[in-house]
Amino acid sequence: MEWAGGAGGVVRRHGATAVSAVRRAWREPGRERDLTVQAGKAALAACLAWAVAGWWLRAPVAFIAPWMAVVLVESTVYRSLAHGLQQLAAIAVGTVVATAVALVLGGTMVSMTVVLPAVLLLAQWQRLGSQGIYAATGALFVLTDGQVSLATSGARIAEAVFGAVVGIAVNALVRPPVYLRDTRAALKDAADEAERILSTVAEALADGEWEEHSARVWHERALRLGRLVDQARSAIGWSRESMRGNHRGLGAGGISRPGKGYDDALAVLDQVAVHIAGVTRTVLEIAHDDEAARTDLQLTGPYADFLRHTSQAIGLYGQTRFAETDTERPAHKALRDAVDELRRSLDELHRKLPGTVRDDPDALATHGALLVQARRLADQLVQD
């Protein structure tokens, strides 16, 4: 009976997760609500396509229309249109080839052995992109129907066109998806994680409670920070694509496109990720040495102070740059004050740190490179 108890626990956990997602979708904007809206739009597109093709016109292959309508309610309006054209081309080619071969050869199995290899090779054509496989789908619809005729094949293509028009229209006109909120969230997640890493390292260095295991964990988190920045870069691309052909971005009350500010923020976070990876790698190398070597470097003073002020500046940068409304943005003066403190701590490092590594040229070069990165970071944090 243990397996039953375990299965019950899994069901309860997944049920709780589903209930939580439903509550978030109902309560506030977010990914859950976006997914719910897209699902509803796909269902609406299918119903509209079937109501016209199947219920009103009683088309011979009406199921093609709602099927096309569902698959073309995509993540962006631009993607719906681009994939719709590619998919229609693939279906049309597959349908025409299968119809011609079936009418000439007659037998279904014989026709399949000739048609499917040809259309599957055609599916690799670059112009069809990821939609090339629908050439084989169109061919199979013809070959498995039993009765092959020009009229039925023509109706299939017509129904596919109609379903595509319905799916694209619903996606473009009914609350077309926009991913600006996801982009802000991705950028802010990267900034928040950078702040947490530096704050943790600074606190540990100041207290003198750090060893190789902790330093290795910090460095692994710093490397993952680079992946968060990459996710933010991808989110910016999605945001820009979602605004192409999107009426919600038009007019005085429209949603603004992600502009140069997003690129500037991404450049800063790239620099932050590189800087933090360098800092944590240096700390890890020091922690790997013996206690005497660690004490000689005296990182617990000015270096911990520098990391603490860097963390505060990055946190304020995230709050200022990635707030959803202007009224929620804290004053820029707080960020500038934090950067002034960061520069002060940098000056302190310039004065004290070289003396601690005077007899180690490699260490001096490493710390010098980190100081240059930190100076650039301080300059970037106050750019508008």
Side-chain angles (χ1 to χ4, degrees):
M1 296 296 292
E2 291 183 0
W3 67 270
V10 171
V11 170
R12 285 192 296 271
R13 285 195 298 272
H14 284 288
T17 301
V19 171
S20 178
V22 170
R23 288 175 177 171
R24 287 195 299 272
W26 178 265
R27 185 175 58 250
E28 60 187 6
R31 176 174 173 77
E32 291 81 4
R33 181 176 293 182
D34 291 341
L35 291 175
T36 301
V37 170
Q38 285 298 100
K41 287 166 57 176
L44 172 63
C47 291
L48 289 175
W50 176 256
V52 174
W55 179 68
W56 182 32
L57 298 178
R58 299 187 182 279
V61 282
F63 74 94
I64 298 287
W67 170 65
M68 284 288 292
V70 166
V71 298
L72 288 181
V73 178
E74 295 229 26
S75 49
T76 67
V77 175
Y78 171 78
R79 193 157 297 201
S80 286
L81 182 58
H83 285 180
L85 293 174
Q86 290 176 327
Q87 194 175 131
L88 285 174
I91 289 176
V93 170
T95 300
V96 169
V97 171
T99 302
V101 172
L103 290 176
V104 171
L105 299 182
T108 298
M109 287 302 302
V110 175
S111 299
M112 278 190 179
T113 60
V114 174
V115 171
L116 290 181
V119 295
L120 287 172
L121 284 174
L122 180 65
Q124 308 305 312
W125 188 27
Q126 187 177 5
R127 291 295 183 91
L128 296 179
S130 61
Q131 308 303 303
I133 190 62
Y134 286 101
T137 302
L140 285 172
F141 281 159
V142 172
L143 298 176
T144 57
D145 189 36
Q147 297 295 327
V148 179
S149 67
L150 292 176
T152 303
S153 294
R156 282 193 180 88
I157 295 175
E159 294 302 325
V161 171
F162 176 71
V165 170
V166 172
I168 294 170
V170 168
N171 201 34
L173 299 177
V174 181
R175 197 179 181 272
V178 176
Y179 297 94
L180 293 179
R181 181 177 58 251
D182 293 342
T183 301
R184 283 191 294 264
L187 290 166
K188 193 170 188 308
D189 285 347
D192 290 346
E193 177 63 4
E195 179 188 10
R196 287 191 292 267
I197 294 172
L198 287 179
S199 178
T200 301
V201 175
E203 182 179 354
L205 294 181
D207 295 340
E209 298 177 356
W210 57 291
E211 68 286 330
E212 184 176 359
H213 174 71
S214 298
R216 192 174 302 281
V217 171
W218 301 334
H219 187 53
E220 290 173 354
R221 288 178 63 186
L223 296 178
R224 288 196 294 271
L225 175 62
R227 291 194 286 273
L228 288 179
V229 175
D230 288 338
Q231 290 174 11
R233 181 178 291 105
S234 176
I236 290 175
W238 273 94
S239 291
R240 286 177 173 151
E241 181 181 306
S242 72
M243 296 303 294
R244 300 176 69 176
N246 194 327
H247 70 80
R248 294 173 70 188
L250 303 176
I255 300 171
S256 60
R257 295 176 180 271
K260 186 175 181 295
Y262 283 80
D263 295 326
D264 292 342
L266 188 63
V268 170
L269 291 176
D270 261 330
Q271 183 69 21
V272 167
V274 170
H275 176 69
I276 293 178
V279 169
T280 54
R281 182 172 57 250
T282 300
V283 173
L284 176 59
E285 291 171 354
I286 296 168
H288 187 68
D289 295 333
D290 57 31
E291 184 68 25
R294 190 189 310 177
T295 303
D296 288 343
L297 286 179
Q298 300 178 8
L299 287 176
T300 57
Y303 212 101
D305 187 51
F306 155 68
L307 293 181
R308 187 181 302 110
H309 285 103
T310 303
S311 171
Q312 293 171 358
I314 292 172
L316 286 170
Y317 180 83
Q319 295 172 23
T320 302
R321 276 282 186 169
F322 311 133
E324 292 198 9
T325 64
D326 290 336
T327 57
E328 294 174 358
R329 293 183 179 180
H332 286 266
K333 185 178 182 301
L335 174 58
R336 294 183 181 275
D337 291 344
V339 173
D340 288 340
E341 288 297 316
L342 171 59
R343 286 172 172 158
R344 182 196 61 76
S345 65
L346 276 173
D347 292 338
E348 188 75 8
L349 272 177
H350 275 295
R351 287 194 301 270
K352 293 184 177 181
L353 192 58
T356 66
V357 293
R358 185 179 294 118
D359 298 330
D360 190 344
D362 291 337
L364 182 60
T366 298
H367 287 87
L370 291 177
L371 291 176
V372 170
Q373 290 178 4
R375 178 69 71 181
R376 291 173 178 170
L377 172 63
D379 292 337
Q380 287 179 318
L381 285 174
V382 291
Q383 289 180 357
D384 291 329

